Amino acid sequence: MCRTSQSHVMTRLRFNEISRYFFAILVSLWRRVQIGRTGTRTTAIHCTGCTNSDMLSRLVFVSASALKSSGPLGAGLVQASRCLHTSPQTLAPVPPLPEEGGKTRHGIIPEEIFQFLYPKTGVTGPYMLGTGLLLYMLSKEIYVINHETFAAACIGIVIIYGTKKFGPSVAAFADKLNEDKVAKAQEVKDLATRSLTEAIQEEEKEQWRVEGRGALFDAKRNNVQMLLETNHRERLHMVTNEVKKRLDYQISLQNLHRRMQQEHLVDWVEKSVIKSITPQQEKESIAKCITDLKLLAKTTQAKATA
Amino acid sequence: MALNFFDQFMSPTYMGIPLMALALTLPWLLYPTPTTRWLNNRLLTLQSWFINRFTQQLLMPLNVGGHKWALMLTSLMMFLFTINLLGLLPYTFTPTTQLSLNMGLAVPLWLATVIIGMRNQPTAALGHLLPEGTPALLIPVLIIIETISLFIRPLALGVRLTANLTAGHLLIQLIATAVYVLLPMMTTVALLTATVLFLLTLLEVAVAMIQAYVFVLLLSLYLQENV
């Protein structure tokens, strides 16, 4: 609950501002009186723009501050209460919320009371105070035990049981609500961080790929060179083959020529020889052949009978 | 000081100064104001969560015209809820046990719904007086009956809340008195009665919350018909 802004307003009002407010109020009142007389609507609209309650509330502030700055107490009243302020009196930066709530003993009585009474009455002091107070009120019949006491006991049991049983789970639920809020915002942040990291990694990969591009081109170049080389060699082979074929043809042609020449020569020689054989020579040769044959027949016969 | 059974239902005064205004406005102090922080303490988180869920739940069946009543209905619910529950504490005064308060809440709100219905969609509002599918002979009778039921609504709203709370409180007082009187005489019986009192207290806690919810729910239903 930040009511401190109002106290700031009050301390800073000065006399000329107070007089200005009074004047503004007087003017608005005068205008309303005039409207009542003439009954025109146009000025009424202008006046109701700054509403009546606005003026009246300023009147309240004005009178309070007028009280504060005048009189025997005066401005000192605001300054005197400053030592009782426990929270910082500014709104920015926003002060952090405490992690734990106020410490209490037995769930209700603030720990500060025990600390306050400790120096004078020790550890049992507040308990003695409580018991004594209770017994005092009962014995002097300041508090009378009646039917309401039992009703109070019942509702007390219900409240205490409820708090003890459902307190932790409700607190956990409230914490979970806050944590879910934080988690949602964190999720957005994490998603952004993740997508940006992934983008960075992709970019680095692309840069690495660019480096490898040279090797790729070299490989491609080598490929092309090999293809050209293979082609060249194939053509060389083809050329040699063709040339060889041509040369073989020529060789075989020459060989043919020579053979034909040889055969022709042999034929001519045979013909001439045959032509040269006289009939007498023929007879002699045939007689020789017959004698040879007879001889042979004899020898074989002799071999056979032997 | 001896307590009369009906003292708890008397409008509280202190030396002639009526304290009804205090009884009605002081429960507001129990609810922290929402801050401009993003994450709040547990109480404020739970309060905001509850109010948001309740409003969402209540306004779901209403069309957009009915959403203007969100603030009215939710604040009414929180008001009745708190006052009913605080009334269960001992020696407290429950303003909602006063018929005047409850009628003062029920009649204007009900009348507002009726007037809105009659003004914006008179045929539809009057059409509610005849449920669908009634046989032709019953039409005149049914219209009269539905009109009577329409006018009984504010009475029912107010008296329901008053009667439930008054009866509950009275019962608690009576049974607590029984326990008190029986305790020296027949202790076992007193203990049994104390058990009954305990169960009754539980019931009253439930009734306090439910009655507040029913009041607001019925108003939202009447609004649904007319908006």
Side-chain angles (χ1 to χ4, degrees), chain A residues 136-153:
Chain A
Y136 163 71
M137 292 211 295
L138 285 172
S139 66
K140 291 270 190 192
E141 301 225 334
I142 295 173
Y143 177 70
V144 179
I145 292 192
N146 48 26
H147 62 278
E148 286 266 19
T149 317
F150 294 99

Side-chain angles (χ1 to χ4, degrees), chain B residues 100-119:
Chain B
S100 53
L101 182 89
N102 295 338
M103 293 304 283
L105 287 171
V107 171
L109 292 171
W110 161 84
L111 195 59
T113 59
V114 168
I115 289 176
I116 285 175
M118 289 294 173
R119 192 168 167 268

Side-chain angles (χ1 to χ4, degrees), chain A residues 94-95 97 143-148 150-152 154-155 157-159 170-171 173-175 177-178 181-182 185, chain B residues 1 3 33 37-42 45-46 49 88-91 172-173 176-177 179-180 183 197-198 201-202 205:
Chain A
V94 176
L97 279 176
Y143 177 70
V144 179
I145 292 192
N146 48 26
H147 62 278
E148 286 266 19
F150 294 99
C154 276
I155 194 79
I157 290 172
V158 168
I159 289 173
V170 167
F173 176 72
D175 288 339
L177 283 174
N178 274 351
K181 245 191 193 179
V182 172
Chain B
M1 57 175 186
L3 282 179
T33 326
R37 290 172 184 273
W38 181 46
L39 297 173
N40 294 307
N41 57 5
R42 283 173 183 168
T45 314
L46 286 169
W49 170 82
L88 289 169
L89 296 171
Y91 302 108
I172 288 181
Q173 300 295 315
T177 313
V179 173
Y180 174 61
L183 197 58
L197 180 62
F198 178 70
T201 313
L202 283 173
V205 169

Side-chain angles (χ1 to χ4, degrees), chain A residues 16 18 33 36 57 91 175 189-190 242 246 258 297:
Chain A
N16 51 356
I18 297 165
V33 165
S57 61
L91 289 174
D175 288 339
K189 203 169 92 168
D190 285 344
E242 288 294 308
R246 299 280 189 285
R258 193 170 301 137

Side-chain angles (χ1 to χ4, degrees), chain A:
Chain A
M1 301 220 221
C2 313
R3 302 276 180 240
T4 55
S5 54
Q6 288 181 3
S7 63
H8 274 226
V9 167
M10 278 190 240
T11 52
R12 287 194 180 123
L13 279 176
R14 298 271 184 264
F15 179 68
N16 51 356
E17 291 186 7
I18 297 165
S19 60
R20 232 187 288 142
Y21 284 139
F22 271 125
F23 185 65
I25 290 164
L26 279 174
V27 163
S28 73
L29 284 171
W30 175 245
R31 277 219 195 93
R32 286 192 74 77
V33 165
Q34 278 197 321
I35 288 158
R37 280 196 203 135
T38 59
T40 51
R41 298 288 297 168
T42 48
T43 42
I45 292 166
H46 169 70
C47 184
T48 50
C50 47
T51 57
N52 229 7
S53 63
D54 200 30
M55 291 298 175
L56 286 174
S57 61
R58 262 193 232 150
L59 185 68
V60 168
F61 288 156
V62 156
S63 58
S65 78
L67 264 176
K68 280 206 169 116
S69 43
S70 63
L73 291 171
L77 189 67
V78 170
Q79 310 302 326
S81 63
R82 214 176 276 274
C83 63
L84 297 170
H85 295 163
T86 48
S87 59
Q89 296 290 297
T90 58
L91 289 174
V94 176
L97 279 176
E99 284 287 319
E100 303 275 325
K103 289 206 4 223
T104 58
R105 219 185 271 205
H106 307 297
I108 283 201
I109 309 161
E111 188 66 35
E112 278 86 356
I113 290 183
F114 290 81
Q115 298 305 321
F116 176 67
L117 290 174
Y118 181 76
K120 296 288 184 204
T121 55
V123 178
T124 51
Y127 295 107
M128 288 307 297
L129 178 65
T131 322
L133 209 63
L134 186 64
L135 288 176
Y136 163 71
M137 292 211 295
L138 285 172
S139 66
K140 291 270 190 192
E141 301 225 334
I142 295 173
Y143 177 70
V144 179
I145 292 192
N146 48 26
H147 62 278
E148 286 266 19
T149 317
F150 294 99
C154 276
I155 194 79
I157 290 172
V158 168
I159 289 173
I160 291 170
Y161 179 72
T163 324
K164 277 201 171 342
K165 186 146 198 278
F166 300 112
S169 61
V170 167
F173 176 72
D175 288 339
K176 190 168 166 309
L177 283 174
N178 274 351
E179 267 164 40
D180 285 345
K181 245 191 193 179
V182 172
K184 257 199 247 179
Q186 189 73 17
E187 178 71 40
V188 170
K189 203 169 92 168
D190 285 344
L191 188 68
T193 319
R194 242 180 319 181
S195 63
L196 285 173
T197 329
E198 271 169 27
I200 290 171
Q201 280 172 354
E202 288 288 312
E203 180 61 34
E204 276 171 10
K205 203 151 111 183
E206 287 302 312
Q207 281 176 356
W208 171 80
R209 279 201 187 132
V210 164
E211 280 167 25
R213 212 174 44 181
L216 184 69
F217 289 162
D218 278 341
K220 280 195 174 164
R221 211 176 290 129
N222 280 349
N223 241 10
V224 166
Q225 291 290 346
M226 259 200 296
L227 279 175
L228 285 173
E229 190 68 34
T230 322
N231 209 3
H232 179 67
R233 287 213 181 142
E234 267 179 22
R235 284 191 188 165
L236 276 175
H237 276 265
M238 207 163 68
V239 160
T240 45
N241 280 351
E242 288 294 308
V243 164
K244 194 154 160 284
K245 267 200 279 192
R246 299 280 189 285
L247 289 173
D248 282 344
Y249 172 70
Q250 293 299 328
I251 288 168
S252 55
L253 200 64
Q254 280 176 2
N255 283 349
L256 185 70
H257 270 291
R258 193 170 301 137
R259 207 173 63 233
M260 281 181 74
Q261 279 173 356
Q262 275 178 351
E263 278 178 10
H264 184 74
L265 196 62
V266 162
D267 278 342
W268 183 80
V269 165
E270 277 181 5
K271 259 192 214 141
S272 59
V273 163
I274 290 171
K275 244 191 258 177
S276 73
I277 295 175
T278 57
Q280 194 189 344
Q281 277 182 331
E282 211 174 326
K283 266 190 206 170
E284 279 179 14
S285 66
I286 288 173
K288 195 169 182 284
C289 285
I290 291 169
T291 50
D292 280 338
L293 275 169
K294 280 183 184 171
L295 194 65
L296 266 172
K298 273 186 195 165
T299 49
T300 48
Q301 226 174 14
K303 272 191 191 164
T305 53

